[in-house]
Amino acid sequence: TLESLPASDFEGDDWLDRRGFLSMLRVDRLYSHDLPRWRDNPQGSCDAAVESIFDLLVRHTENLAAVAPAIEARLAQIPDFLAAGAANIRRPVPLWTQLARKACQGASEFLSQIEPELTAASYHPKNVAPLIAAARRAFEEYAGAVSRKPQGPAQGFSIGCARFEFLMRERLGLEMSLPEARAEGLKLVAQLKMEVAQEARRLGYRSAREALDEAASRWIPGAPLIDVYRATTESLNRAVRKLGIASIPDGETLKVLPAPAFLRHQFPTAAYSAPPPYSKKQQGIFWVNDLSLGQKSEAKRQAEIRQHFGLELTCVHEAYPGHHLQFAVQNRHPSKLRRLFAHSIFYEGWTMWCEKLAVDSGLVSHPAARLIQLHDALWRAYRIIIDCGLHSGELTHAGASNILMQGVGFTKARAAGDVNWYTSSPTVPMSYLLGRLEVEKLHQHLVHGQGWTLRQFHDWMLSHGALPYPWLTRHGPGGT
C-alpha cells in the first residue's frame, strides 16, 4: 500500500517519513517471511522473555512495588511463551543454539538474583518463589529442547550476497555491491594501519601494539570499573554543555549499570539501551561489561580489565555526545514514525564521528587518546571486511575472530563476543565507519563550505532521527 503512493508526491519531512517507514516494513518482511529467523535463531524467545522483565526492573528500581504485579504476570507467562518458542524452532544455527544455552543459563541466574528484591516489593510475596522457580525451569527446558533439535549448517547465519546488498540499500541508504563494500573496507584498513603506525611512532613506539600494550599495562583504575565509567560519563556531560558542542535536551537522564549475566556474551565491553521512544521519562542505560569478574586467575582478570583501557572514548561513544544524546533528541521528534527509526548508519556513524571529534576538540585529552581513536577506527574498518565475509559465506566465525585478534589485538573472549552479534546483525557492523565517512562529507559541505557552526551542524543532524545520511540531503539544507 505504501509503495502505491508515489515518492514524487512527498517532500521534506514527509518524504523522509515515507522512506523510513517503507524501509522498516521491507526489512521486517525479509526477516518474517523470506528469511524467518524466528525459525532458526533460538536466542529470540529467550532474550524476549527475560528482557520483558529486566526492562521493567531496571527502569523502576526506585519504586519496584509499582511494577511488581506486571513482573509477576510476565513471570507467569514465561513457561508457555518459551514452550511455544521452542516448538517454532527448525534446524537452528549451531552457534546460535550455543548462545541461546548461555543466555538461558544467564537468565536463570538473573531470576535467582532478583528474587529477594521482588519478594520484598510484592503485594503477594509468597507467590514470587514459585513463579521464579517455574520460570527458571522453563529456561532450562527451553535450552534442552533447542539443543535436541536437528541442527542446521554451521554457516547458516550467512544471508547471502543478494540479501546483504538489499539490507545495505534499506538499512544504510548505500547503493553499492558487497564486493564494493569489501573493497572499501580493505582500503580503509590499509589507510588506518598507516595512520595508527604514524601515531605510534610520534609517541616514541615502534608499533601501535607496543604503545597500547604498555599504556594499558600501566593503567590501574583507582576504583571498580563501574565507578570509573560513572565518573567519566558525568564529566563528559558537563564538558559537552560547557563547550557548546551540541544542545542537550532538558529531562534526559542516563544510568550506568553493570551488564547482567544474560547479556554478557552479547557484547565485549559496553553497550547502550535507549529509552522507549514514547516514554515521558527519557532515561537511557549505559551497560558496562566487566568480564574480569568471572576470571579466577589474577592474570586473566587483569587482561580483561585492560580491555577497558581508553574507556573515555567508550563513554563518548555510548553516552555524551554519542548514543544517549542522539536518542534523547530523536525521542522528542514531532513525528511518531521518526521516533521508531533505527538505522545504524546514522546512530553508529554519529558515535564514530563523536569519538574523532572528542580527540580533535580536546574533550578527551590524555596522551594516547588519538592512538586509541585511530585504533578503534581500524577495528571498525575490519568490521566492514568481516561483515561482508560472514554473510557472503566466505568467512567462518573462527576466521572472523582471528582477524580481530591479529588485526587489533583482541582477546579470544572479546573477539568471539564481537563476532557473535555480527552473525545475527548483517550490515550493522559495517555501518560504524561507513557512517562516519558520511558525516565527514556533510561536515565538509555545511561547516567548511557554508559556514555553519559546529553546534548548528550537530543540532541539524540530530533533528532528523536515525535515518541514513544520504537520505537527509535529498530535501534538506545539506543537499547540493
Side-chain angles (χ1 to χ4, degrees):
T1 300
L2 191 57
E3 288 175 328
S4 70
L5 303 175
S8 58
D9 286 353
F10 296 83
E11 294 291 334
D13 278 335
D14 290 337
W15 185 90
L16 288 171
D17 275 355
R18 177 194 179 277
R19 185 66 185 90
F21 190 35
L22 186 59
S23 168
M24 189 168 70
L25 293 173
R26 285 172 174 167
V27 172
D28 181 69
R29 181 174 59 189
L30 171 70
Y31 284 116
S32 297
H33 301 287
D34 302 333
L35 192 67
R37 288 309 193 200
W38 54 279
R39 286 290 195 191
D40 63 9
N41 190 350
Q43 298 176 93
S45 294
C46 174
D47 290 348
V50 72
E51 286 171 8
S52 69
I53 294 168
F54 185 76
D55 186 66
L56 285 174
L57 183 73
V58 299
R59 295 190 185 279
H60 298 85
T61 51
E62 299 87 352
N63 185 18
L64 191 57
V67 293
I71 292 175
E72 291 165 34
R74 295 183 184 191
L75 280 169
Q77 295 178 52
I78 282 178
D80 288 343
F81 178 81
L82 290 178
N88 280 328
I89 295 296
R90 301 284 188 277
R91 292 180 57 77
V93 174
L95 170 67
W96 293 343
T97 300
Q98 295 172 21
L99 296 178
R101 286 201 300 266
K102 291 179 181 179
C104 285
Q105 181 180 355
S108 180
E109 294 170 1
F110 164 67
L111 293 178
S112 179
Q113 292 166 2
I114 69 170
E115 183 175 342
E117 189 176 3
L118 185 58
T119 300
S122 176
Y123 295 106
H124 305 285
K126 292 183 179 179
N127 293 343
V128 173
L131 286 170
I132 286 184
R136 292 183 67 191
R137 284 195 301 272
F139 279 112
E140 293 171 8
E141 292 168 0
Y142 180 81
V146 299
S147 297
R148 291 189 295 270
K149 297 275 185 177
Q151 299 292 296
Q155 294 290 107
F157 51 74
S158 173
I159 66 171
C161 184
R163 290 178 178 133
F164 193 83
E165 291 171 352
F166 165 81
L167 290 178
M168 280 198 290
R169 290 192 299 274
E170 296 299 325
R171 279 182 169 169
L172 311 187
L174 299 178
E175 297 291 339
M176 65 171 68
S177 67
L178 185 150
E180 287 174 323
R182 180 168 47 210
E184 189 69 23
L186 290 168
K187 173 187 173 182
L188 289 167
V189 164
Q191 174 185 323
L192 284 162
K193 285 175 70 175
M194 181 178 64
E195 292 181 28
V196 165
Q198 290 173 344
E199 181 64 14
R201 288 194 295 271
R202 189 187 71 80
L203 294 173
Y205 293 92
R206 291 174 297 178
S207 69
R209 187 74 271 144
E210 179 186 3
L212 292 171
D213 285 347
E214 182 170 330
S217 67
R218 294 198 306 265
W219 180 66
I220 302 176
L225 276 174
I226 187 69
D227 293 337
V228 178
Y229 272 96
R230 285 172 177 155
T232 304
T233 298
E234 291 171 4
S235 175
L236 285 170
N237 185 318
R238 294 191 297 269
V240 169
R241 294 176 187 274
K242 181 178 180 180
L243 294 174
I245 290 173
S247 301
I248 298 180
D250 294 335
E252 58 76 30
T253 56
L254 179 64
K255 279 187 173 181
V256 183
L257 299 175
F262 76 94
L263 285 180
R264 286 177 189 156
H265 65 285
Q266 292 291 349
F267 51 82
T269 53
Y272 172 74
S273 295
Y278 305 124
S279 174
K280 292 182 180 179
K281 184 179 181 180
Q282 285 298 299
Q283 183 177 80
I285 301 174
F286 180 6
W287 302 113
V288 176
N289 194 20
D290 185 0
L291 294 175
S292 72
L293 299 176
Q295 300 297 333
K296 294 182 179 180
S297 78
E298 181 63 17
K300 290 184 177 179
R301 193 177 77 84
Q302 290 299 326
E304 292 298 345
I305 287 176
R306 286 195 292 271
Q307 294 294 317
H308 293 262
F309 173 68
L311 61 82
E312 294 85 355
L313 284 174
T314 304
C315 294
V316 166
H317 182 107
E318 305 293 356
Y320 302 100
H323 281 315
H324 177 65
L325 174 59
Q326 185 264 311
F327 280 106
V329 173
Q330 173 173 314
N331 289 351
R332 288 167 171 77
H333 200 285
S335 167
K336 291 184 178 180
L337 276 176
R338 200 74 63 85
R339 299 185 193 185
L340 294 175
F341 300 156
H343 292 261
S344 60
I345 193 169
F346 185 97
Y347 59 79
E348 299 299 3
W350 164 254
T351 54
M352 287 291 293
W353 165 258
C354 290
E355 290 181 29
K356 187 173 186 297
L357 173 74
V359 176
D360 293 344
S361 66
L363 195 62
V364 173
S365 58
H366 63 73
R370 186 171 300 279
L371 180 61
I372 295 170
Q373 182 261 315
L374 288 170
H375 189 263
D376 285 351
L378 176 62
W379 164 28
R380 277 41 174 254
Y382 276 114
R383 277 184 173 176
I384 301 171
I385 301 168
I386 294 172
D387 204 359
C388 292
L390 287 172
H391 293 288
S392 66
E394 297 171 335
L395 195 59
T396 65
H397 182 282
S401 297
N402 284 335
I403 289 175
L404 292 176
M405 287 188 283
Q406 296 173 11
V408 285
F410 281 8
T411 64
K412 186 175 182 179
R414 184 177 182 186
D418 232 32
V419 176
N420 285 346
W421 73 264
Y422 296 0
T423 63
S424 57
S425 302
T427 72
V428 176
M430 73 182 336
S431 67
Y432 287 65
L433 190 52
L434 293 180
R436 196 194 82 183
L437 297 178
E438 294 296 321
V439 179
E440 289 175 357
K441 293 175 187 176
L442 286 172
H443 180 265
Q444 180 66 30
H445 178 57
L446 294 174
V447 176
H448 293 292
Q450 296 190 17
W452 285 23
T453 66
L454 193 60
R455 183 174 187 147
Q456 182 183 9
F457 171 61
H458 289 156
D459 287 353
W460 173 79
M461 279 201 304
L462 293 178
S463 72
H464 293 93
L467 288 166
Y469 293 103
W471 298 353
L472 304 187
T473 61
R474 182 181 175 102
H475 298 289
T480 55

